[in-house]
Amino acid sequence: MKKLFIKTYGCQMNVYDSARIADSLAPLGYSAADAPEDADIVVLNTCHIREKAAEKVYSELGRLRRLKERRAEEGSRMLIAVAGCVAQAEGEEIVRRQNAVDIVVGPQSLHRIPEMIARVERREGRALETDFVPDEKFDSLPASRAEGPAAFLTIQEGCDKFCTFCVVPYTRGAEFSRPVPQILGEAQRLVDAGVREITLLGQNVNAYRGKGPCGGVWNLARLLHHLAEIYGLERLRYTTSHPCDMSDDLIAAHRDLEKLMPYLHLPVQSGSDRILDAMNRRHGRDHYLRLVERIRSARRDIALSSDFIVGFPGESDEDFEQTLTLVREINYAQAYSFKYSSRPGTPAAAARKQIPDDVKSARLQSLQGLLSAQQHAFAKSCEGLEMSVLFERRGRKPGQAVGRSPYLQPVHVDDAEHLIGMIHNVIIARALPNSLGGTLAGARPKAVAVH
Ligand code: SF4
């Protein structure tokens, strides 16, 4: 039996891709290794979003090269593959800088990994594939397997928006939507295998325009309505959305579909019109605020999360203040915030007015203070509520189980291990820093010994 180790960087879409890589190599006899030291092939499935992503990959490759050399001295062979967005962006440069690498494969060519391994094993030299052929990828990769009651399902890849700070349009290519029958089939198989919650994934998921079974084009709202009809599928989510693609019928779906969870990740990045324009976000502050109003009037209990970039080139104190006022006005349940860092090849990287790092750090600290206070207040507002929890795994304490609330918060519940894989109502007793604690609704209180 051959062994495979995959190190995954970045977003849920990469997690989904890594699982597909493992599935596509299983028929070749590869099973999961616990560590690179035990593997016949090590795959780095990379992400280009975070700062110095490529440099981090090169330093990991340095460690793997030494491991590969040790293995060769011991008489065994280990292959190294670099997959994902850094592979796409760097291409042959990877092999030039680190000649221990055998395979470089972009995110749209992952289905070719088995054939690329075969080529390398036949000693036909290195293999490099960075074509953009997403339809071929999804036709060829095995469908996702259930590994618990919650699963991801990629329905869309790529982006046509070209925000000036982002590499996705260059590394994942143009927007591509998988055909509807392929998605419905994959969802049904997941549910048959015990999945109760599916999160639809896409870099720009609400721009979904997939070919329907009779040839017409379906949008995300229509797809959600049909997925909601699958018996046994109890919860639906989707991420990540662009404010410009929140159509009226998608907003209405939040009102009409009980299975669509009341939690929406809707990145805004900045509260300043001037910066939104420089980012090429294609919408202004007012558009976003009005959109949130419409979403909230469709689904009163919806909770929102967002992404923020502070210190974008040219961001003044006033622009940053606009971000703070927008955050106060919206009141988020959760958010991710980062200092701007330039990505080679993106327009913003060439902007002249870069912001000094100490200014970025101070702004980030103040934004994060506000966001974490809002997150904590939201968690506190859940205390005393009864909410449905999908139990996903065992907790640290014996008998304890951990699940997710409708708002995606982890919920720890004692004596609930038998409910893993199921949905059960929980009374939320306390808000912890990054999770909730509760007791099963309807559970009889334990007898307490009286001395
Ligand atoms: S919409 Fe999202 S994925 Fe597309 S360019 Fe902008 S930040 Fe990147």
Side-chain angles (χ1 to χ4, degrees):
M1 191 65 150
K2 289 182 273 187
K3 292 280 188 184
L4 161 74
F5 182 83
I6 305 180
K7 179 165 180 174
T8 306
Y9 299 77
C11 66
Q12 290 146 334
M13 294 188 67
N14 266 15
V15 174
Y16 179 90
D17 279 348
S18 290
R20 301 290 75 68
I21 294 171
D23 291 346
S24 70
L25 292 180
L28 303 187
Y30 283 93
S31 64
D34 293 333
E37 288 72 14
D38 307 325
D40 299 288
I41 175 162
V42 177
V43 180
L44 301 183
N45 192 14
T46 61
C47 167
H48 211 303
I49 294 286
R50 299 279 169 265
E51 197 175 8
K52 300 195 180 90
E55 290 315 309
K56 283 177 189 156
V57 170
Y58 283 118
S59 75
E60 183 68 32
L61 286 174
R63 281 192 286 276
L64 289 175
R65 176 178 57 82
R66 290 189 287 281
L67 176 61
K68 184 173 179 166
E69 287 167 354
R70 276 205 307 278
R71 294 278 296 274
E73 282 161 20
E74 291 159 13
S76 68
R77 191 167 185 216
M78 183 184 108
L79 302 187
I80 301 175
V82 182
C85 292
V86 172
Q88 186 70 41
E90 297 277 302
E92 286 184 30
E93 177 69 6
I94 294 181
V95 179
R96 202 187 60 73
R97 282 185 59 178
Q98 184 48 269
N99 66 7
V101 172
D102 302 284
I103 292 169
V104 177
V105 55
Q108 309 303 355
S109 306
L110 297 178
H111 56 292
R112 297 195 178 144
I113 287 187
E115 161 205 331
M116 294 169 87
I117 292 176
R119 264 164 39 207
V120 174
E121 281 181 337
R122 289 198 302 270
R123 315 230 174 216
E124 290 174 12
R126 293 193 181 88
L128 189 132
E129 296 275 4
T130 49
D131 289 350
F132 285 116
V133 277
D135 45 352
E136 200 184 294
K137 166 183 167 179
F138 286 112
D139 285 345
S140 314
L141 281 175
S144 48
R145 270 185 300 123
E147 284 171 8
F152 295 125
L153 200 170
T154 294
I155 65 166
Q156 183 275 341
E157 283 209 356
C159 183
D160 298 341
K161 298 283 189 295
F162 289 92
C163 298
T164 55
F165 54 83
C166 181
V167 289
V168 165
Y170 311 99
T171 58
R172 293 263 176 174
E175 283 172 7
F176 166 81
S177 296
R178 293 177 71 187
V180 171
Q182 218 181 64
I183 295 167
L184 294 178
E186 190 164 330
Q188 183 66 61
R189 281 191 294 279
L190 287 169
V191 173
D192 292 345
V195 166
R196 295 291 163 260
E197 174 180 305
I198 291 179
T199 302
L200 305 177
L201 298 179
Q203 262 100 22
N204 218 334
V205 72
N206 57 343
Y208 177 81
R209 298 280 181 277
K211 199 167 166 195
C214 302
V217 174
W218 288 29
N219 63 12
L220 181 60
R222 189 166 177 195
L223 180 66
L224 285 164
H225 274 275
H226 279 257
L227 286 166
E229 281 170 17
I230 296 180
Y231 179 77
L233 177 58
E234 306 294 341
R235 289 173 157 202
L236 284 163
R237 304 179 189 274
Y238 61 91
T239 196
T240 291
S241 296
H242 192 287
C244 293
D245 291 312
M246 285 304 296
S247 62
D248 289 345
D249 51 358
L250 185 53
I251 295 173
H254 281 279
R255 179 194 62 211
D256 300 333
L257 294 177
E258 210 187 314
K259 291 184 179 180
L260 187 53
M261 290 294 98
Y263 179 82
L264 177 64
H265 184 62
L266 193 62
V268 64
Q269 310 295 0
S270 168
S272 152
D273 279 335
R274 217 173 60 78
I275 297 300
L276 288 169
D277 193 40
M279 287 175 166
N280 191 32
R281 289 291 290 172
R282 302 163 188 235
H283 66 82
R285 173 192 175 95
D286 269 3
H287 172 102
Y288 186 85
L289 289 170
R290 275 185 283 110
L291 177 61
V292 168
E293 239 175 66
R294 283 165 54 222
I295 296 167
R296 281 181 167 155
S297 32
R299 179 95 196 223
R300 199 182 40 79
D301 62 338
I302 203 158
L304 291 165
S305 78
S306 185
D307 294 334
F308 293 93
I309 294 173
V310 300
F312 186 80
E315 185 189 69
S316 64
D317 288 343
E318 211 171 55
D319 293 317
F320 177 63
E321 189 53 38
Q322 293 274 302
T323 298
L324 296 179
T325 58
L326 179 131
V327 169
R328 286 190 198 102
E329 203 162 324
I330 300 281
N331 196 9
Y332 289 98
Q334 151 85 338
Y336 303 91
S337 48
F338 307 96
K339 288 193 272 188
Y340 169 77
S341 65
S342 65
R343 300 288 174 273
T346 57
R352 270 179 299 151
K353 282 194 174 166
Q354 299 289 333
I355 304 296
D357 196 57
D358 57 334
V359 175
K360 288 191 217 171
S361 300
R363 288 180 187 166
L364 185 65
Q365 201 180 2
S366 114
L367 176 62
Q368 289 187 336
L370 176 59
L371 290 169
S372 63
Q374 292 188 346
Q375 182 178 343
H376 186 62
F378 178 71
K380 288 297 275 180
S381 74
C382 296
E383 284 180 355
L385 298 183
E386 180 169 333
M387 45 173 89
S388 73
V389 170
L390 172 60
F391 288 99
E392 295 180 9
R393 60 185 167 85
R394 288 197 182 122
R396 285 215 193 107
K397 293 200 289 182
Q400 191 184 57
V402 186
R404 294 269 175 187
S405 76
Y407 308 109
L408 216 51
Q409 301 137 300
V411 185
H412 299 257
V413 182
D414 290 343
D415 302 324
E417 201 180 324
H418 59 291
L419 292 172
I420 290 174
M422 290 184 242
I423 293 175
H424 200 286
N425 276 11
V426 168
I427 313 281
I428 303 303
R430 59 204 173 278
L432 305 162
N434 293 305
S435 63
L436 301 173
T439 52
L440 291 178
R444 267 189 262 138
K446 273 188 191 160
V448 178
V450 179
H451 298 283

